[in-house]
PDB file of all heavy atoms in Angstrom:
ATOM      1  N   GLN F 242     -20.901 -70.240  72.276  1.00 98.00           N
ATOM      2  CA  GLN F 242     -21.381 -69.576  73.501  1.00 98.00           C
ATOM      3  C   GLN F 242     -21.901 -70.625  74.486  1.00 98.00           C
ATOM      4  O   GLN F 242     -21.625 -70.535  75.704  1.00 98.00           O
ATOM      5  CB  GLN F 242     -22.460 -68.585  73.165  1.00 98.00           C
ATOM      6  CG  GLN F 242     -22.881 -67.719  74.370  1.00 98.00           C
ATOM      7  CD  GLN F 242     -21.727 -66.962  74.952  1.00 98.00           C
ATOM      8  OE1 GLN F 242     -21.005 -66.234  74.266  1.00 98.00           O
ATOM      9  NE2 GLN F 242     -21.439 -67.140  76.251  1.00 98.00           N
ATOM     10  N   ALA F 243     -22.604 -71.655  73.976  1.00 98.00           N
ATOM     11  CA  ALA F 243     -23.098 -72.699  74.864  1.00 98.00           C
ATOM     12  C   ALA F 243     -21.972 -73.495  75.513  1.00 98.00           C
ATOM     13  O   ALA F 243     -22.034 -73.816  76.719  1.00 98.00           O
ATOM     14  CB  ALA F 243     -24.029 -73.629  74.096  1.00 98.00           C
ATOM     15  N   ALA F 244     -20.916 -73.766  74.745  1.00 98.00           N
ATOM     16  CA  ALA F 244     -19.778 -74.505  75.270  1.00 98.00           C
ATOM     17  C   ALA F 244     -19.028 -73.664  76.307  1.00 98.00           C
ATOM     18  O   ALA F 244     -18.628 -74.185  77.386  1.00 98.00           O
ATOM     19  CB  ALA F 244     -18.840 -74.912  74.167  1.00 98.00           C
ATOM     20  N   ALA F 245     -18.865 -72.382  76.046  1.00 98.00           N
ATOM     21  CA  ALA F 245     -18.205 -71.507  77.009  1.00 98.00           C
ATOM     22  C   ALA F 245     -19.002 -71.411  78.297  1.00 98.00           C
ATOM     23  O   ALA F 245     -18.450 -71.435  79.413  1.00 98.00           O
ATOM     24  CB  ALA F 245     -17.954 -70.136  76.393  1.00 98.00           C
ATOM     25  N   SER F 246     -20.321 -71.293  78.172  1.00 97.00           N
ATOM     26  CA  SER F 246     -21.177 -71.234  79.360  1.00 97.00           C
ATOM     27  C   SER F 246     -21.124 -72.553  80.164  1.00 97.00           C
ATOM     28  O   SER F 246     -21.083 -72.496  81.391  1.00 97.00           O
ATOM     29  CB  SER F 246     -22.598 -70.936  78.936  1.00 97.00           C
ATOM     30  OG  SER F 246     -22.698 -69.665  78.310  1.00 97.00           O
ATOM     31  N   ALA F 247     -21.106 -73.651  79.436  1.00 97.00           N
ATOM     32  CA  ALA F 247     -21.047 -74.947  80.150  1.00 97.00           C
ATOM     33  C   ALA F 247     -19.768 -75.089  80.931  1.00 97.00           C
ATOM     34  O   ALA F 247     -19.750 -75.755  82.021  1.00 97.00           O
ATOM     35  CB  ALA F 247     -21.164 -76.081  79.138  1.00 97.00           C
ATOM     36  N   LEU F 248     -18.692 -74.487  80.482  1.00 98.00           N
ATOM     37  CA  LEU F 248     -17.401 -74.580  81.140  1.00 98.00           C
ATOM     38  C   LEU F 248     -17.108 -73.398  82.071  1.00 98.00           C
ATOM     39  O   LEU F 248     -16.141 -73.440  82.843  1.00 98.00           O
ATOM     40  CB  LEU F 248     -16.274 -74.691  80.097  1.00 98.00           C
ATOM     41  CG  LEU F 248     -16.212 -76.015  79.332  1.00 98.00           C
ATOM     42  CD1 LEU F 248     -15.369 -75.849  78.073  1.00 98.00           C
ATOM     43  CD2 LEU F 248     -15.673 -77.116  80.194  1.00 98.00           C
ATOM     44  N   GLY F 249     -17.944 -72.362  81.975  1.00 98.00           N
ATOM     45  CA  GLY F 249     -17.738 -71.180  82.797  1.00 98.00           C
ATOM     46  C   GLY F 249     -16.484 -70.404  82.431  1.00 98.00           C
ATOM     47  O   GLY F 249     -15.792 -69.859  83.298  1.00 98.00           O
ATOM     48  N   ILE F 250     -16.204 -70.316  81.132  1.00 98.00           N
ATOM     49  CA  ILE F 250     -15.020 -69.605  80.645  1.00 98.00           C
ATOM     50  C   ILE F 250     -15.370 -68.660  79.506  1.00 98.00           C
ATOM     51  O   ILE F 250     -16.519 -68.693  78.986  1.00 98.00           O
ATOM     52  CB  ILE F 250     -13.929 -70.589  80.146  1.00 98.00           C
ATOM     53  CG1 ILE F 250     -14.452 -71.436  78.969  1.00 98.00           C
ATOM     54  CG2 ILE F 250     -13.447 -71.493  81.299  1.00 98.00           C
ATOM     55  CD1 ILE F 250     -13.426 -72.360  78.389  1.00 98.00           C
ATOM     56  N   ALA F 251     -14.438 -67.837  79.090  1.00 98.00           N
ATOM     57  CA  ALA F 251     -14.650 -66.924  77.991  1.00 98.00           C
ATOM     58  C   ALA F 251     -14.645 -67.683  76.659  1.00 98.00           C
ATOM     59  O   ALA F 251     -13.934 -68.683  76.520  1.00 98.00           O
ATOM     60  CB  ALA F 251     -13.560 -65.849  77.957  1.00 98.00           C
ATOM     61  N   PRO F 252     -15.434 -67.228  75.694  1.00 97.00           N
ATOM     62  CA  PRO F 252     -15.481 -67.900  74.380  1.00 97.00           C
ATOM     63  C   PRO F 252     -14.279 -67.538  73.494  1.00 97.00           C
ATOM     64  O   PRO F 252     -14.433 -66.907  72.443  1.00 97.00           O
ATOM     65  CB  PRO F 252     -16.801 -67.422  73.793  1.00 97.00           C
ATOM     66  CG  PRO F 252     -17.002 -66.066  74.387  1.00 97.00           C
ATOM     67  CD  PRO F 252     -16.406 -66.127  75.785  1.00 97.00           C
ATOM     68  N   HIS F 253     -13.099 -67.935  73.919  1.00 97.00           N
ATOM     69  CA  HIS F 253     -11.866 -67.629  73.178  1.00 97.00           C
ATOM     70  C   HIS F 253     -10.936 -68.833  73.308  1.00 97.00           C
ATOM     71  O   HIS F 253     -10.930 -69.549  74.293  1.00 97.00           O
ATOM     72  CB  HIS F 253     -11.188 -66.377  73.742  1.00 97.00           C
ATOM     73  CG  HIS F 253     -10.109 -65.861  72.869  1.00 97.00           C
ATOM     74  ND1 HIS F 253      -8.805 -66.362  72.948  1.00 97.00           N
ATOM     75  CD2 HIS F 253     -10.071 -64.878  71.924  1.00 97.00           C
ATOM     76  CE1 HIS F 253      -8.048 -65.726  72.069  1.00 97.00           C
ATOM     77  NE2 HIS F 253      -8.797 -64.817  71.433  1.00 97.00           N
ATOM     78  N   SER F 254     -10.093 -69.028  72.270  1.00 97.00           N
ATOM     79  CA  SER F 254      -9.235 -70.187  72.250  1.00 97.00           C
ATOM     80  C   SER F 254      -8.269 -70.215  73.444  1.00 97.00           C
ATOM     81  O   SER F 254      -7.933 -71.313  73.941  1.00 97.00           O
ATOM     82  CB  SER F 254      -8.431 -70.238  70.946  1.00 97.00           C
ATOM     83  OG  SER F 254      -7.601 -69.069  70.830  1.00 97.00           O
ATOM     84  N   ASP F 255      -7.834 -69.079  73.925  1.00 96.00           N
ATOM     85  CA  ASP F 255      -6.887 -69.069  75.060  1.00 96.00           C
ATOM     86  C   ASP F 255      -7.536 -69.674  76.296  1.00 96.00           C
ATOM     87  O   ASP F 255      -6.898 -70.419  77.055  1.00 96.00           O
ATOM     88  CB  ASP F 255      -6.463 -67.634  75.371  1.00 96.00           C
ATOM     89  CG  ASP F 255      -5.545 -67.025  74.326  1.00 96.00           C
ATOM     90  OD1 ASP F 255      -5.009 -67.833  73.497  1.00 96.00           O
ATOM     91  OD2 ASP F 255      -5.396 -65.807  74.249  1.00 96.00           O
ATOM     92  N   ALA F 256      -8.815 -69.373  76.526  1.00 97.00           N
ATOM     93  CA  ALA F 256      -9.512 -69.922  77.665  1.00 97.00           C
ATOM     94  C   ALA F 256      -9.740 -71.412  77.507  1.00 97.00           C
ATOM     95  O   ALA F 256      -9.550 -72.206  78.447  1.00 97.00           O
ATOM     96  CB  ALA F 256     -10.851 -69.199  77.870  1.00 97.00           C
ATOM     97  N   PHE F 257     -10.119 -71.861  76.319  1.00 97.00           N
ATOM     98  CA  PHE F 257     -10.344 -73.272  76.098  1.00 97.00           C
ATOM     99  C   PHE F 257      -9.053 -74.072  76.166  1.00 97.00           C
ATOM    100  O   PHE F 257      -9.061 -75.239  76.588  1.00 97.00           O
ATOM    101  CB  PHE F 257     -11.037 -73.473  74.745  1.00 97.00           C
ATOM    102  CG  PHE F 257     -12.513 -73.306  74.800  1.00 97.00           C
ATOM    103  CD1 PHE F 257     -13.097 -72.061  74.710  1.00 97.00           C
ATOM    104  CD2 PHE F 257     -13.353 -74.393  74.901  1.00 97.00           C
ATOM    105  CE1 PHE F 257     -14.465 -71.872  74.758  1.00 97.00           C
ATOM    106  CE2 PHE F 257     -14.753 -74.248  74.994  1.00 97.00           C
ATOM    107  CZ  PHE F 257     -15.294 -72.983  74.887  1.00 97.00           C
ATOM    108  N   ALA F 258      -7.940 -73.454  75.751  1.00 97.00           N
ATOM    109  CA  ALA F 258      -6.669 -74.161  75.776  1.00 97.00           C
ATOM    110  C   ALA F 258      -6.233 -74.552  77.181  1.00 97.00           C
ATOM    111  O   ALA F 258      -5.451 -75.473  77.377  1.00 97.00           O
ATOM    112  CB  ALA F 258      -5.563 -73.304  75.128  1.00 97.00           C
ATOM    113  N   ALA F 259      -6.767 -73.837  78.200  1.00 96.00           N
ATOM    114  CA  ALA F 259      -6.411 -74.140  79.578  1.00 96.00           C
ATOM    115  C   ALA F 259      -7.272 -75.243  80.207  1.00 96.00           C
ATOM    116  O   ALA F 259      -7.003 -75.681  81.336  1.00 96.00           O
ATOM    117  CB  ALA F 259      -6.534 -72.867  80.448  1.00 96.00           C
ATOM    118  N   VAL F 260      -8.247 -75.759  79.475  1.00 97.00           N
ATOM    119  CA  VAL F 260      -9.190 -76.751  79.998  1.00 97.00           C
ATOM    120  C   VAL F 260      -8.703 -78.140  79.594  1.00 97.00           C
ATOM    121  O   VAL F 260      -8.427 -78.397  78.427  1.00 97.00           O
ATOM    122  CB  VAL F 260     -10.591 -76.510  79.442  1.00 97.00           C
ATOM    123  CG1 VAL F 260     -11.580 -77.579  79.941  1.00 97.00           C
ATOM    124  CG2 VAL F 260     -11.111 -75.118  79.838  1.00 97.00           C
ATOM    125  N   PRO F 261      -8.605 -79.081  80.513  1.00 97.00           N
ATOM    126  CA  PRO F 261      -8.183 -80.450  80.178  1.00 97.00           C
ATOM    127  C   PRO F 261      -9.155 -81.141  79.240  1.00 97.00           C
ATOM    128  O   PRO F 261     -10.338 -80.816  79.201  1.00 97.00           O
ATOM    129  CB  PRO F 261      -8.125 -81.153  81.565  1.00 97.00           C
ATOM    130  CG  PRO F 261      -8.098 -80.071  82.564  1.00 97.00           C
ATOM    131  CD  PRO F 261      -8.833 -78.917  81.969  1.00 97.00           C
ATOM    132  N   ASP F 262      -8.631 -82.118  78.523  1.00 97.00           N
ATOM    133  CA  ASP F 262      -9.464 -82.849  77.555  1.00 97.00           C
ATOM    134  C   ASP F 262     -10.703 -83.438  78.206  1.00 97.00           C
ATOM    135  O   ASP F 262     -11.796 -83.456  77.645  1.00 97.00           O
ATOM    136  CB  ASP F 262      -8.654 -83.968  76.885  1.00 97.00           C
ATOM    137  CG  ASP F 262      -7.708 -83.430  75.839  1.00 97.00           C
ATOM    138  OD1 ASP F 262      -8.041 -82.443  75.175  1.00 97.00           O
ATOM    139  OD2 ASP F 262      -6.635 -84.042  75.643  1.00 97.00           O
ATOM    140  N   ALA F 263     -10.553 -84.024  79.393  1.00 97.00           N
ATOM    141  CA  ALA F 263     -11.694 -84.678  80.048  1.00 97.00           C
ATOM    142  C   ALA F 263     -12.841 -83.717  80.297  1.00 97.00           C
ATOM    143  O   ALA F 263     -14.000 -84.081  80.120  1.00 97.00           O
ATOM    144  CB  ALA F 263     -11.219 -85.316  81.373  1.00 97.00           C
ATOM    145  N   ARG F 264     -12.540 -82.474  80.656  1.00 97.00           N
ATOM    146  CA  ARG F 264     -13.607 -81.486  80.857  1.00 97.00           C
ATOM    147  C   ARG F 264     -14.234 -81.085  79.544  1.00 97.00           C
ATOM    148  O   ARG F 264     -15.439 -80.830  79.461  1.00 97.00           O
ATOM    149  CB  ARG F 264     -13.074 -80.280  81.586  1.00 97.00           C
ATOM    150  CG  ARG F 264     -12.838 -80.465  83.086  1.00 97.00           C
ATOM    151  CD  ARG F 264     -12.658 -79.121  83.764  1.00 97.00           C
ATOM    152  NE  ARG F 264     -13.884 -78.346  83.714  1.00 97.00           N
ATOM    153  CZ  ARG F 264     -13.934 -77.005  83.780  1.00 97.00           C
ATOM    154  NH1 ARG F 264     -12.798 -76.297  83.829  1.00 97.00           N
ATOM    155  NH2 ARG F 264     -15.059 -76.360  83.752  1.00 97.00           N
ATOM    156  N   LEU F 265     -13.420 -80.996  78.496  1.00 98.00           N
ATOM    157  CA  LEU F 265     -13.987 -80.671  77.176  1.00 98.00           C
ATOM    158  C   LEU F 265     -14.936 -81.759  76.706  1.00 98.00           C
ATOM    159  O   LEU F 265     -16.018 -81.486  76.159  1.00 98.00           O
ATOM    160  CB  LEU F 265     -12.870 -80.482  76.152  1.00 98.00           C
ATOM    161  CG  LEU F 265     -11.885 -79.329  76.379  1.00 98.00           C
ATOM    162  CD1 LEU F 265     -10.869 -79.278  75.243  1.00 98.00           C
ATOM    163  CD2 LEU F 265     -12.627 -78.004  76.485  1.00 98.00           C
ATOM    164  N   VAL F 266     -14.565 -83.011  76.924  1.00 97.00           N
ATOM    165  CA  VAL F 266     -15.412 -84.137  76.532  1.00 97.00           C
ATOM    166  C   VAL F 266     -16.707 -84.101  77.345  1.00 97.00           C
ATOM    167  O   VAL F 266     -17.817 -84.300  76.800  1.00 97.00           O
ATOM    168  CB  VAL F 266     -14.675 -85.468  76.722  1.00 97.00           C
ATOM    169  CG1 VAL F 266     -15.631 -86.651  76.591  1.00 97.00           C
ATOM    170  CG2 VAL F 266     -13.566 -85.591  75.692  1.00 97.00           C
TER     171      VAL F 266
END
Side-chain angles (χ1 to χ4, degrees):
Q242 187 58 54
S246 297
L248 289 163
I250 61 176
H253 191 278
S254 61
D255 290 344
F257 277 83
V260 178
D262 284 328
R264 284 195 66 206
L265 296 181
V266 169

